[in-house]
Amino acid sequence: MAKAKVMYVCNQCGAEYARWQGQCRQCGEWNTIEEVKLSSNASPARTVTRAASLAGFAGVADGKVENLSQVQIAQTVRMPTGYGEFDRVLGGGIVPGSVVLIGGNPGAGKSTLLLQTVCMLSSSTKVLYITGEESLEQVALRAQRLSLPTAQVRIGAETSIDNIIAVALQEQPAVLVVDSIQVMHVNDVDSAPGSVTQVRESAAALTQFAKRTGIAVFLVGHVTKEGSLAGPKVLEHCVDCSVLLEAGNDMRFRTLRCHKNRFGAVNEIGVFAMTDKGLHEIKNPSAIFLNRQEKVAPGSLATCVWEGTRPLLVELQCLVDLSQYGNPRRLSLGTDGNRLAMLLSVLHRHAGIQLGDQDVFVNVVGGVKIDGTSADVPLILALLSSFTERPISRTTIAFGEIGLTGEIRPVQSGLERLNEAEKQGFLRAIVPYDNAPRNKSKMGNLEIIPVRNIQELVDLV
């Protein structure tokens, strides 16, 4: 009997090694390298048969090479999911032959969202839902509880990738959902489901299947306690679109955020509300994140961030309090903590305001995460408001970037942000000088106050 081959794979980045070692040289993580046994008698006949069937199904060219300018570009017709927020995150709808990875914490609503989507699509196109973690009865009970139309939905319970591909070739659906990729396995790989090798080979097989047949594939992925997708990082590299379904502080709402998209813009978000009838899309998320009290306390200010292709209004809160200990705390939820420390230093150097003996806490209401630099100006204003105990009017909004020399720098899509603020009923906007409209001090009812440096912000407060 031939001896089984052994290799060692990092469960974080997928790097392969001939022997075990404590630290991965690719990603630098410790104790992430696991032993993987490879089957020595795995015949390539099954792989060749699978590739041949796929090639015959789609008529793939046999290694033909041509100039890039001569490639014929076909008009891509996207399939709407039936949910405008989901279509926005995907870049306008489902692209045939694409592979979409949806991750999220347990209970976030990944399976619910996909079940609602396939039920909506089943009225106009053929769909196939493969469940590997739940029984058919469990999925049917959820669909009945959500009052979904299930007459045209094809469903099966399977964990073998080879059997799933065979069934999909027989059914020929337009959309295939695999829930979830961590429980799937390839028969030729001698490893347990959920291991690094199985996850990688299963995703690679389904990706090849989608590209050769033109069937759109949705994969459900688990999330680790650190918040990243479980399994090797190569799982995100081989898919066309990576989407994360997040549950904020308020468990009623879910944020669908796109981290990678080969067919649209990244950093798009869609907002859903979780109810007893499933996920319902929120067409105006700014109204939710700006649900402010009538009497505004010091340290609260609205700002406009840019998410993908649309503006989003959120509330930024700051609390500055005298530190009771020798080491003042700096805590930031929803913004970059390192950027908060930088802004405090800029405020001291160029405005002469010392907060070194104060505890500083920053929070973005609604669990929204701000990745850009447009929240620098409202953050400084909210800090000053809390420090001086002077509230800012609830009809005031601000955005802008602050440099290390204390200058206020412009941000992208300033005009669109101002239009959104005016639409939501704000009366005053504090913006960078280069983002203010030329020769105009008002846009409708919105008064525009341009600022050039951080000292002008202090004078405003």
Side-chain angles (χ1 to χ4, degrees), residues 153-431:
V153 178
R154 305 287 290 174
I155 187 173
E158 185 58 65
T159 59
S160 172
I161 292 296
D162 299 276
N163 295 341
I164 293 174
I165 291 178
V167 172
L169 287 175
Q170 180 182 357
E171 295 286 335
Q172 298 184 17
V175 177
L176 170 65
V177 175
V178 178
D179 185 7
S180 68
I181 190 63
Q182 269 81 17
V183 299
M184 301 298 162
H185 68 277
V186 178
N187 296 341
D188 293 341
V189 178
D190 188 13
S191 182
S195 62
V196 175
T197 306
Q198 284 288 6
V199 171
R200 180 175 53 186
E201 294 298 326
S202 299
L206 290 174
T207 300
Q208 183 188 33
F209 168 74
K211 300 304 177 185
R212 292 180 179 268
T213 61
I215 298 176
V217 178
F218 284 85
L219 307 178
V220 177
H222 295 306
V223 171
T224 62
K225 60 182 180 180
E226 290 82 10
S228 59
L229 285 168
K233 205 66 177 178
V234 71
L235 185 61
E236 295 184 358
H237 293 319
C238 69
V239 300
D240 298 312
C241 184
S242 178
V243 179
L244 193 63
L245 187 62
E246 304 170 343
N249 298 330
D250 192 342
M251 296 301 294
R252 295 175 300 171
F253 300 105
R254 305 289 190 271
T255 302
L256 191 66
R257 185 181 298 272
C258 180
H259 294 278
K260 171 190 176 182
N261 195 351
R262 291 173 178 165
F263 306 106
V266 296
N267 294 327
E268 284 280 9
I269 67 168
V271 181
F272 294 85
M274 177 62 78
T275 66
D276 57 345
K277 294 298 182 181
L279 290 170
H280 293 272
E281 57 182 345
I282 305 297
K283 299 183 181 298
N284 186 15
S286 297
I288 296 176
F289 298 128
L290 281 178
N291 188 13
R292 310 173 70 187
Q293 299 179 359
E294 290 295 331
K295 184 178 180 181
V296 181
S300 175
L301 181 63
T303 184
C304 185
V305 297
W306 195 259
E307 295 288 348
T309 59
R310 71 175 175 183
L312 180 65
L313 302 184
V314 296
E315 181 184 356
L316 191 66
Q317 293 182 341
C318 294
L319 176 62
V320 179
D321 189 26
L322 182 64
S323 177
Q324 303 298 324
Y325 307 98
N327 187 19
R329 298 187 61 188
R330 303 286 187 265
L331 181 61
S332 180
L333 300 178
T335 60
D336 187 5
N338 295 327
R339 194 160 190 87
L340 172 62
M342 183 197 75
L343 292 176
L344 291 175
S345 298
V346 173
L347 184 63
H348 174 240
R349 178 66 180 271
H350 298 285
I353 297 180
Q354 172 64 266
L355 299 179
D357 58 344
Q358 305 286 324
D359 289 332
V360 178
F361 302 94
V362 179
N363 178 47
V364 182
V365 177
V368 180
K369 295 181 181 179
I370 302 177
D371 297 326
T373 58
S374 63
D376 291 352
V377 168
L379 180 58
I380 289 294
L381 289 173
L383 286 172
L384 294 174
S385 173
S386 177
F387 181 64
T388 60
E389 297 186 358
R390 297 180 180 178
I392 301 176
S393 172
R394 66 191 312 272
T395 60
T396 300
I397 192 171
F399 61 84
E401 179 183 353
I402 298 179
L404 289 178
T405 59
E407 81 279 9
I408 307 298
R409 305 177 63 87
V411 297
Q412 66 167 346
S413 307
L415 184 60
E416 289 80 359
R417 297 174 195 246
L418 292 175
N419 290 330
E420 181 69 16
E422 198 272 335
K423 186 189 306 180
Q424 295 295 332
F426 285 88
L427 301 179
R428 182 185 303 163
I430 302 174
V431 301

Side-chain angles (χ1 to χ4, degrees), residues 436-455:
R438 293 296 177 260
N439 303 322
K440 291 177 62 176
S441 60
K442 296 191 70 175
M443 289 181 57
N445 296 324
L446 182 66
E447 179 187 0
I448 300 174
I449 303 176
V451 289
R452 291 184 174 90
N453 52 61
I454 194 172
Q455 185 61 48

Side-chain angles (χ1 to χ4, degrees), residues 23-89:
Q23 184 184 26
C24 176
R25 294 194 297 268
Q26 297 294 330
C27 62
E29 297 291 335
W30 289 88
N31 300 323
T32 58
I33 299 178
E34 301 176 350
E35 177 182 331
V36 175
K37 294 182 179 180
L38 302 179
S39 177
S40 60
N41 57 354
S43 173
R46 183 183 298 274
T47 304
V48 173
T49 303
R50 183 193 303 137
S53 62
L54 292 178
F57 181 79
V60 179
D62 50 353
K64 181 181 178 182
V65 179
E66 56 185 324
N67 293 333
L68 182 59
S69 60
Q70 298 176 348
V71 176
Q72 299 294 328
I73 302 178
Q75 183 67 27
T76 302
V77 179
R78 296 176 181 262
M79 293 181 291
T81 62
Y83 298 95
E85 294 294 301
F86 199 6
D87 290 338
R88 176 189 294 273
V89 174

